[in-house]
């Protein structure tokens, strides 16, 4: 049975049982505890916590999930996946244990012809919580014999979110794969043979503080008993498809086949290669799903996880023998495989490819850089007579330069060196510990939104700001320091909830309106407006005059100047987005934005810096659209219709069934947007691009002023240009040419100065030759170079001195002093090399004195130290070393 069919049967089964089918949430949710959605119940958390009233009594979904704690284990075993699909059914105070057990058993064991999965009941085992007699009795009644029911403790069969909140016992269903996969005895004996496929959580209690899976207090029963179940789609797939693990299933094995084609290696021959094939299959699918939901490679958070996944794909492919880029091929096959369930992968394939290929290109450069750094490190180790690359160096290569440890190990072996793996692992463990402690410090119970629940249930705030800036309203609630308050007095900060409001609540990149709330003798200054549950407007205000009381009739007013500027900024953002796509093409897709009065910032997916011509064209297209005075139309429709019309959506955003479309100039710009806008494009005023920069791999940013802020900026630039023209005594239009002439003259002068400095340095070579010491049969120049001589000139000087000794054996050691650093050069001529002297070996004699290291070839070695006070001791150490060797 194909995986897409497994998903469909699950949903159909529960829809027939009265459940509402709920689409998968994005992998990215606004939850402070989660990097990614990692369980099927995450989008329903507010219902389980009692913060919101669910719109249905029972629901079913197949949720996209990503878990990243085990990235390093992916491929090593066949049990770890970063991306997986969790099928679940949920009851919010409706049914409980008996029906949950019956529904699960029926789907698993019903014949395929009747819509079930057709599992043999004789091969299914169940576990229950230690004292859950009720669940055991129900399993016995359904036909599971007592010898296939096992009781397990809190660590295995008691569920919680890991933080204070709902919890309860659970019952897990296992499938017996047979004696060839392990020993008899059920899940307690062998969880490789007995594979867990479904977990039924009976959410009935509330947990308190504590740590771990079994160290917390159970405070008491929940007001309502809930059901939360999770069936692993991938696990069921490999069992029903008769293969040995998830990597052999219909959604992963074709990726391995493609990897075989691209690398020339075969899966199933060597374990090390199999690990790499599985890494590619797993990570390619996860990366595509993350990019589709709006994640872009970066240096922290979600972006860093995606970057790691993509780089592990490239690394694994290279180790398997791939010589050409592979990412586009992998993204295409993932799209082909997953699109029947997630059609956005097909419609958005070009953007997904662009992001993934961009990271691959960047990482291939990193690999080249890392290889160079490794060569230098290996040379330094050998120069000091060592045979092992220190763990600190391996960690630096890995952590700072993104150079994978297994490549370090492989290249070290080729160079005849070992790696201090224990030291590396210790540093990695310390880094993980710090990250874990940081995450734990940030992890807390879900923000307590219970106080807003009654207000959310009462109904959404009516936003009147699309049509008016002043609205009559009623105060529904006042909240001070997280507690409902009947009244707020002068000087107090207060959250005000109104039944209707013209003030825009921050969302969609547009910051909140500023404004006032007034009544007779009462005035509040509103500095921010935020949304709760996407429906409730919370006005964060300060009482400047009088007292405000719950139930008061008030007048809410948005600051007109602020709103005018905000609408210019937001509409200007749409102009710039449309211009980017017109100039750069459809792959220039929005990755984020911020707009406020007079200013906009727009992030988009793109590889490489924009040219001056491209920036000029984007600004010109934007202002042409402003000058065209396009009408701005808004309308509400359903999401499928909006997409059919070509409306652009922000990737990773969760939209409801109905969406608001903002259309500017017909086909010029059409986007899903809930923000406020001008009525005609000419009201935006001039748009002036301030610049363009990188904010991460594959993401560029443009910033611009609009309206009066644009005018003020241009006026300032004009005044600056006039000042420069006056100083140069040329007309304004001749300033660029005049500045170019001055720059060229400066370059010529700098080059002449460099030549003079070099000549002066070389002129001192004769004096250094005069200072040569004869030690045995070798002439040694070991001196401190003049202060301030840079490393490049030091090398030139050393080479010149060496050349003056002709056929006499000579060793030259120069140590410099430049801004507290100690650059050094060691060079040995051929006659001295024939006597056994090597430049790299001599570095080790003085390196510790100046806290430095370096390396090179027998003829020339160089590097730098950080302790100028050790120069004299270092030179003495060189003399001793040469004397020892010459003797």
């Amino acid at each position: 049975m194909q995986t897409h069919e497994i998903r469909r049967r699950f949903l159909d089964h529960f829809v027939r049982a009265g459940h509402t089918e709920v689409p998968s949430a994005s992998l990215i949710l606004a939850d402070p505890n989660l990097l990614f959605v990692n369980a099927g119940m995450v989008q329903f958390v507010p219902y389980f916590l009692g913060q919101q009233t669910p719109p249905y009594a029972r629901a079913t979904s197949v949720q996209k999930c990503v878990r990243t704690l085990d990235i390093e284990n992916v491929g090593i075993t066949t049990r770890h996946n970063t991306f997986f699909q969790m099928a679940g059914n949920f009851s919010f105070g409706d049914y409980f244990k008996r029906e949950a057990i019956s529904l699960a058993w029926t789907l698993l064991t019903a014949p395929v012809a009747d819509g079930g999965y057709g599992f043999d009941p004789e091969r299914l085992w169940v576990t229950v919580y230690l004292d859950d007699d009720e669940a055991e009795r129900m399993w016995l009644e359904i036909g599971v014999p007592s010898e296939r029911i096992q009781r397990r403790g809190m660590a295995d069969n008691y569920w919680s979110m890991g933080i204070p909140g709902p919890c309860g016992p659970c019952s897990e269903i296992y499938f017996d794969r047979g004696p060839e996969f392990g020993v008899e005895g059920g899940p307690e004996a062998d969880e490789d043979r007995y594979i867990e496929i479904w977990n039924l959580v009976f959410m009935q209690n509330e947990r308190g503080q504590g740590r771990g899976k079994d160290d917390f207090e159970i405070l008491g029963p929940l007001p309502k008993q809930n059901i939360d179940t999770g069936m692993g789609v991938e696990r069921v797939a490999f069992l029903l498809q008769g293969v040995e693990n998830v990597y052999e299933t219909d959604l992963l094995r074709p990726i391995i086949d493609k990897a075989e084609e691209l690398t020339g290696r075969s899966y199933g021959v060597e374990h090390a290669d199999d690990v790499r094939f599985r890494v590619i299959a797993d990570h390619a699918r996860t990366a595509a799903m993350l990019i589709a939901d709006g994640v872009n490679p970066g240096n922290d958070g979600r972006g860093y996880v995606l970057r790691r996944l993509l780089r592990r794909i490239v690394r694994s492919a290279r180790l398997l023998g791939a010589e050409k880029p592979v990412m586009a091929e992998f993204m295409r096959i993932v799209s082909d495989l997953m699109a029947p369930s997630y059609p956005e992968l097909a419609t958005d394939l070009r953007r997904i490819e662009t992001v993934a290929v961009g990271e691959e290109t960047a990482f291939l450069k990193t690999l080249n850089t890392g290889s160079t750094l490794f060569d230098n490190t290996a040379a330094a180790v050998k120069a000091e007579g060592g045979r092992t690359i220190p763990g600190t160096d391996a960690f630096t290569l890995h952590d700072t330069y993104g150079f994978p440890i297994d490549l370090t190990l492989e290249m070290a072996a080729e160079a005849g060196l070992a790696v201090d793996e224990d030291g590396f692992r210790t540093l990695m463990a310390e880094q993980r510990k710090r990250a874990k402690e940081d995450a734990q410090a940030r992890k807390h119970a879900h923000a307590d939104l219970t106080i807003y629940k009654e207000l959310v249930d009462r109904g959404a705030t009516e936003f009147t700001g699309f049509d008016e800036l002043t609205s009559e309203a009623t105060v529904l609630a006042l909240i001070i320091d997280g507690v409902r308050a009947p009244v707020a007095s002068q000087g107090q900060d207060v959250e005000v909830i109104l039944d209707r409001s013209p003030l825009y609540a921050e969302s969609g990149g547009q910051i909140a309106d500023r404004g006032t709330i007034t009544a007779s003798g009462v005035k509040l200054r509103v500095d921010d407006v935020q949304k709760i549950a996407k429906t409730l407007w919370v006005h964060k205000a300060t009482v400047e005059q009088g007292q405000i009381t719950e139930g008061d009739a008030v007048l809410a007013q948005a600051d007109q100047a602020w709103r005018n500027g905000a609408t210019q900024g937001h509409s200007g953002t749409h102009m710039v987005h449309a211009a980017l796509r017109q100039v750069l093409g459809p792959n220039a897709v929005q990755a984020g934005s911020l707009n406020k009065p007079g200013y906009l910032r727009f992030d988009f997916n793109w590889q490489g810096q924009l040219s001056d011509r491209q920036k000029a064209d984007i600004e010109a297209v934007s202002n042409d659209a402003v000058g065209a005075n396009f009408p701005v139309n808004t309308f509400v429709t359903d999401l499928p219709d909006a997409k059919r019309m070509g409306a652009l959506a922000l990737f990773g955003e969760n939209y409801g069934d109905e969406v608001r479309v903002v259309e500017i100039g017909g086909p010029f710009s059409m986007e899903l947007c809930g923000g406020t806008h001008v009525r005609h494009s000419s009201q935006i005023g001039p748009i002036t691009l301030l610049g363009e920069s990188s904010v991460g791999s594959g993401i560029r940013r443009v910033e611009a002023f609009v309206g009066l802020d644009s005018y003020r900026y241009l006026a300032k630039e004009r005044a600056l240009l006039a000042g420069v023209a006056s100083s140069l005594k040329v007309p304004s239009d001749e300033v660029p040419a005049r500045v170019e002439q001055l720059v060229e003259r400066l370059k010529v002068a700098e080059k002449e100065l460099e030549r003079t400095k070099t000549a002066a340095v070389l002129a001192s070579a004769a004096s250094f030759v005069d200072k040569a010491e004869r030690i045995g049969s070798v002439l040694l120049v070991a001196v401190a170079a003049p202060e301030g001589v840079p490393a490049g000139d030091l090398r030139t000087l050393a080479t010149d001195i060496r050349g003056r000794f002709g056929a006499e054996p000579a060793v030259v050691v120069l140590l410099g002093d430049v801004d507290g650093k100690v650059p050094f050069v060691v060079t040995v001529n051929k006659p001295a090399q024939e006597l056994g002297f090597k430049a790299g070996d001599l570095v080790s004699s003085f390196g510790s004195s100046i806290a430095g290291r370096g390396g090179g070839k027998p003829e020339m070695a160089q590097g730098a130290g950080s302790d100028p006070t050790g120069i004299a001791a270092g030179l003495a150490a060189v003399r001793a070393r040469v004397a020892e060797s010459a003797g």
Side-chain angles (χ1 to χ4, degrees):
M1 187 180 297
Q2 300 295 292
T3 304
H4 299 299
E5 175 68 13
I6 292 169
R7 296 176 78 261
R8 189 69 261 159
R9 283 178 180 246
F10 186 95
L11 295 170
D12 289 346
H13 173 74
F14 284 99
V15 168
R16 286 194 298 269
H19 295 65
T20 297
E21 181 180 335
V22 180
S24 171
S26 167
L27 286 165
I28 308 167
L29 289 184
D31 186 325
N33 297 300
L34 295 175
L35 199 61
F36 303 110
V37 168
N38 62 359
M41 54 80 69
V42 168
Q43 66 170 314
F44 304 111
V45 164
Y47 306 148
F48 289 131
L49 291 175
Q51 295 173 349
Q52 297 179 30
T53 300
Y56 26 68
R58 48 178 71 183
T60 184
S61 71
V62 177
Q63 174 64 47
K64 301 179 290 187
C65 300
V66 168
R67 292 181 185 170
T68 59
L69 290 177
D70 296 321
I71 285 180
E72 300 292 345
N73 289 323
V74 169
I76 296 174
T77 73
T78 57
R79 296 181 60 180
H80 292 91
N81 282 132
T82 49
F83 173 86
F84 59 95
Q85 301 170 89
M86 188 60 73
N89 57 289
F90 310 91
S91 167
F92 311 105
D94 185 11
Y95 62 84
F96 202 49
K97 291 183 184 179
R98 184 176 300 280
E99 193 165 355
I101 288 171
S102 175
L103 286 167
W105 187 258
T106 301
L107 177 59
L108 288 174
T109 61
V112 173
D114 296 336
Y117 293 141
F119 279 104
D120 180 358
E122 300 299 318
R123 299 180 68 176
L124 295 178
W125 289 63
V126 297
T127 61
V128 297
Y129 183 55
L130 280 177
D131 63 3
D132 196 349
D133 297 334
E134 182 183 31
E136 182 181 36
R137 185 173 64 254
M138 292 174 180
W139 281 116
L140 290 168
E141 291 172 0
I142 212 166
V144 180
S146 59
E147 61 269 20
R148 293 212 308 275
I149 303 175
Q150 295 183 331
R151 294 190 182 231
R152 306 185 80 174
M154 183 172 278
D156 294 302
N157 275 69
Y158 202 93
W159 177 89
S160 80
M161 294 164 57
I163 53 177
C167 63
C170 59
S171 182
E172 297 173 326
I173 306 173
Y174 290 79
F175 178 78
D176 179 5
R177 301 168 72 194
E180 63 271 30
F181 292 99
V183 299
E184 300 277 355
E188 283 211 320
D190 190 335
E191 288 199 9
D192 284 324
R193 170 175 171 173
Y194 300 89
I195 295 290
E196 178 194 343
I197 55 177
W198 207 330
N199 186 13
L200 315 178
V201 176
F202 310 130
M203 204 179 291
Q204 62 192 46
N205 298 319
E206 182 178 1
R207 69 158 277 178
Q209 296 287 347
R211 300 178 69 87
K213 291 185 175 182
D214 53 4
D215 180 21
F216 55 83
E217 181 183 4
I218 298 174
L219 302 178
L222 291 172
K224 292 182 179 180
Q225 294 179 327
N226 305 310
I227 287 294
D228 158 28
T229 86
M231 186 196 82
V233 172
E234 279 76 11
R235 289 193 178 185
V236 170
F238 93 73
L239 294 173
L240 291 182
Q241 291 174 20
V243 294
E244 291 194 4
N245 58 67
V246 295
Y247 292 98
E248 304 289 332
T249 60
D250 59 319
L251 296 187
L252 285 173
R253 179 59 202 236
I255 306 174
I256 292 177
D257 294 341
K258 175 58 70 172
E260 288 181 315
E261 175 189 325
L262 295 173
T263 64
R265 300 275 184 89
S266 296
Y267 183 66
V269 177
E270 293 185 10
H271 176 71
D273 283 356
D274 289 354
V275 170
R276 292 161 186 154
F277 279 118
R278 290 193 286 262
V279 165
I280 290 170
D282 173 90
H283 290 4
R285 184 169 69 160
T286 305
M289 300 303 292
L290 289 176
I291 297 170
D293 274 0
V295 182
N296 287 287
N299 290 327
D300 53 28
R302 298 179 178 115
Y304 180 64
V305 172
L306 175 59
R307 170 162 287 166
R308 281 189 68 196
L309 295 173
L310 292 170
R311 290 185 169 193
R312 280 169 62 88
I313 295 169
V314 176
R315 175 201 67 193
S316 297
R318 288 277 156 156
L319 291 175
L320 285 170
E323 296 179 354
K324 297 180 180 179
V326 296
M327 200 63 71
E329 296 273 9
F330 290 140
M331 293 301 104
R332 282 195 286 269
I333 194 165
V334 169
S335 174
D336 292 343
L337 294 169
M338 300 296 291
S341 293
Y342 304 100
E344 63 271 20
L345 290 171
T347 56
D348 196 26
L349 178 58
R350 286 188 64 185
R351 185 183 67 87
I352 293 170
E353 277 188 31
T354 299
V355 172
V357 169
E359 183 61 24
E360 177 181 34
T361 302
F363 184 50
L364 289 175
K365 293 178 182 177
T366 294
L367 286 178
N368 291 334
T369 302
S371 297
T372 302
L373 291 167
F374 173 85
D375 290 342
N376 291 338
T377 301
V381 169
K382 289 182 176 181
E384 295 177 0
R387 308 305 305 164
T388 302
I389 292 176
T392 52
D393 288 339
F395 180 76
T396 300
L397 281 165
H398 171 86
D399 189 58
T400 305
Y401 299 100
F403 203 64
I405 182 60
D406 46 5
L407 278 186
T408 300
L409 290 168
E410 186 171 304
M411 293 175 66
E414 292 173 354
L417 297 173
V419 177
D420 176 15
E421 290 189 68
D422 290 340
F424 171 81
R425 306 289 176 197
T426 298
L427 291 168
M428 286 295 293
E430 290 174 357
Q431 183 192 60
R432 289 194 189 99
K433 181 181 178 183
R434 288 192 297 270
K436 189 174 183 180
E437 288 173 348
D438 179 60
Q440 189 64 38
R442 290 184 285 106
K443 187 173 183 179
H444 51 78
H446 288 263
D448 186 2
L449 304 180
T450 308
I451 195 169
Y452 302 104
K453 180 178 182 299
E454 175 195 340
L455 300 162
V456 171
D457 289 347
R458 187 182 298 184
T461 302
E462 179 188 354
F463 176 59
T464 60
F466 289 135
D467 303 310
E468 61 188 26
L469 295 180
T470 303
S471 299
E472 295 179 348
T474 300
V475 178
L476 300 180
L478 302 171
I479 299 173
I480 300 175
D481 295 330
V483 178
R484 286 283 290 268
V487 63
S489 303
Q490 184 171 335
Q492 286 188 297
D493 293 329
V494 60
E495 293 183 357
V496 184
I497 289 87
L498 306 175
D499 62 338
R500 56 202 308 268
S501 175
L503 283 85
Y504 183 80
E506 181 177 350
S507 62
Q510 180 176 334
I511 66 175
D513 278 339
R514 305 293 187 264
T516 58
I517 298 173
T518 58
S520 178
V522 178
K523 181 181 179 183
L524 284 78
R525 184 187 74 249
V526 179
D527 295 315
D528 190 16
V529 189
Q530 295 294 324
K531 292 182 185 179
I532 300 294
K534 297 187 177 182
T535 61
L536 189 72
W537 265 231
V538 177
H539 303 76
K540 298 187 176 185
T542 301
V543 183
E544 294 187 330
Q545 180 182 339
Q547 285 187 337
I548 187 169
T549 304
E550 187 173 309
D552 280 355
V554 296
L555 200 66
Q557 183 170 13
D559 183 295
Q560 182 167 357
W562 182 277
R563 170 65 71 80
N564 288 344
T567 58
Q568 287 178 314
H570 204 154
S571 298
T573 302
H574 285 225
M575 296 288 96
V576 170
H577 189 190
L580 279 163
R581 292 171 63 81
Q582 195 171 118
V583 173
L584 304 178
N587 287 335
V589 177
Q590 181 175 357
S593 67
L594 172 70
N595 44 79
K596 59 183 181 180
Y599 170 85
L600 67 88
R601 185 182 78 200
F602 190 83
D603 298 343
F604 59 101
N605 294 302
W606 192 254
Q607 295 294 332
Q609 185 176 355
L610 301 187
S611 67
D612 290 340
R613 176 61 183 271
Q614 286 172 322
K615 288 183 284 189
D617 287 347
I618 291 164
E619 188 175 73
V621 171
S622 300
N623 283 297
D624 285 347
V626 169
N629 198 26
F630 288 139
V632 179
N633 299 313
T634 63
F635 56 91
V636 175
T637 184
D638 61 62
L639 185 58
D641 277 349
K643 288 184 175 180
R644 278 193 290 272
M645 285 186 285
L648 298 177
L650 180 61
F651 293 101
E653 182 71 19
N654 291 314
Y655 294 98
D657 294 333
E658 287 195 334
V659 293
R660 182 170 179 263
V661 178
V662 176
E663 177 192 65
I664 306 178
F668 180 75
S669 171
M670 185 183 296
E671 299 189 35
L672 304 187
C673 180
T676 61
H677 289 272
V678 299
R679 298 189 182 279
H680 292 83
S681 62
S682 60
Q683 294 172 332
I684 298 171
I687 298 174
T688 303
L689 254 60
L690 304 178
E692 178 260 350
S693 59
S694 171
V695 290
S697 177
I699 304 179
R700 308 296 296 182
R701 170 175 292 172
V702 292
E703 297 176 85
F705 282 138
V706 299
L708 283 176
D709 286 86
S710 178
Y711 165 76
R712 295 186 187 103
Y713 173 78
L714 292 173
K716 181 180 176 182
E717 291 292 295
R718 183 177 60 191
L720 180 63
L721 177 61
V724 173
S726 175
S727 297
L728 296 176
K729 296 181 173 53
V730 295
S732 295
D733 58 355
E734 293 182 14
V735 165
R738 180 61 174 153
V739 169
E740 187 174 349
Q741 288 175 1
L742 291 175
V743 169
E744 285 301 316
R745 287 172 61 184
L746 180 61
K747 287 180 180 178
V748 171
E750 287 176 341
K751 287 180 179 178
E752 184 59 35
L753 180 60
E754 282 298 316
R755 281 195 293 269
T756 301
K757 285 172 59 180
T758 301
V761 168
L762 292 177
S764 65
S767 65
F768 285 116
V769 171
D770 293 340
K771 297 176 183 177
E773 308 170 54
R774 181 170 293 280
I775 301 177
S777 58
V778 177
L779 287 170
L780 170 65
V781 175
V783 296
E787 186 173 347
V789 176
D793 288 348
L794 208 61
R795 181 184 177 116
T796 302
L797 179 59
T799 303
D800 187 79
I801 294 171
R802 183 190 66 195
R804 292 172 182 254
F805 288 107
E808 282 218 66
V811 173
V812 180
V813 180
L814 301 182
L815 275 66
D817 185 351
V818 182
D819 298 327
K821 300 293 183 183
V822 187
F824 63 80
V825 176
V826 179
T827 183
V828 179
N829 66 9
K830 284 289 184 183
Q833 290 177 49
E834 291 170 358
L835 295 176
F837 290 94
K838 295 181 180 179
D841 292 343
L842 291 172
V843 172
S844 62
S845 65
F846 64 83
S848 59
S849 299
I850 60 170
R853 62 187 306 175
K857 298 177 180 180
E859 180 183 0
M860 175 82 71
Q862 60 188 50
S866 58
D867 184 7
T869 63
I871 290 177
L875 294 173
V878 171
R879 293 187 186 97
R881 179 71 170 269
V882 172
E884 178 185 342
S885 300

